[in-house]
Amino acid sequence: MAEYTFTTTAGQTVARELLLAYLNTGTSSAPVWSVIGKRVEDSSEEYDWSTESKKDILGDTYGTMKKPVITQSFEPCELDSGDAAQQKIWKLAVVDQDAMALAAMDMLIVHTYAGFAERYESCMVEVTGLGGEGGGSVGMPINVTYGGTRTKGTATKGTSGAIEFTPET
């Protein structure tokens, strides 16, 4: 089991560009990782731990937590023909309206600042709108709920520039 730590210089904050989400635009056996977030200005993963506090008859308080449900929104996510992830999501949501496929997307979160990546093989990718202001760009806001089997590992850029995920052993 690998030990992950921040790989950045002490005293230096971690750049937001070092935390990225990728959608598999290939197949499960031959993944092609396409980044999500082009033209998105602000996005963060939200962790819902389903916490609960109870006080027993002696007056002592105890808390419980569950594994987190992780969600992330990408907005405005302006459409761009050079964005493979947007193309796949747009086709499944707008053209095909394939809810089953959108609820079973393969995604990768890459924590470049720590040499750590996590793959979720059954994520829900929800398109929440399509449009924008007159004279502006067409936006397609997206909400992602990470789910399915979680596999930890590392991700690196290969010689071709493609992201390569290596599962932890």
Side-chain angles (χ1 to χ4, degrees):
M1 179 180 222
E3 175 121 0
Y4 300 105
T5 60
F6 295 169
T7 58
T8 54
T9 305
Q12 175 183 333
T13 60
V14 175
R16 175 61 182 86
E17 295 81 11
L18 298 178
L19 173 63
L20 296 172
Y22 292 85
L23 175 71
N24 181 358
T25 55
T27 64
S28 60
S29 59
V32 175
W33 299 109
S34 301
V35 72
I36 292 183
K38 187 174 186 178
R39 301 181 189 268
V40 173
E41 298 167 10
D42 186 15
S43 182
S44 64
E45 297 170 28
E46 304 298 326
Y47 287 68
D48 178 356
W49 295 90
S50 299
T51 61
E52 184 178 8
S53 297
K54 295 180 182 179
K55 190 175 281 198
D56 68 13
I57 61 173
L58 301 174
D60 296 324
T61 302
Y62 297 92
T64 61
M65 299 171 72
K66 295 180 181 177
K67 287 187 177 184
V69 173
I70 304 169
T71 58
Q72 187 170 7
S73 61
F74 297 90
E75 191 172 343
C77 216
E78 297 166 338
L79 297 184
D80 182 330
S81 65
D83 189 325
Q86 281 184 352
Q87 290 275 355
K88 180 172 183 170
I89 294 166
W90 178 85
K91 183 172 183 321
L92 289 172
V94 177
V95 176
D96 300 341
Q97 293 186 354
D98 189 342
M100 296 303 133
L102 289 165
M105 304 295 278
D106 188 6
M107 296 202 51
L108 183 67
I109 302 171
V110 179
H111 304 258
T112 307
Y113 59 90
F116 171 66
E118 48 191 325
R119 182 178 185 177
Y120 292 89
E121 296 183 24
S122 190
C123 300
M124 182 172 60
V125 177
E126 175 189 16
V127 171
T128 61
L130 188 66
E133 294 181 31
S137 301
V138 173
M140 183 177 67
I142 299 166
N143 288 334
V144 174
T145 302
Y146 295 95
T149 302
R150 177 181 183 240
T151 305
K152 296 188 291 184
T154 59
T156 55
K157 273 193 179 177
T159 55
S160 67
I163 298 297
E164 298 172 2
F165 175 69
T166 305
E168 210 176 64
T169 55

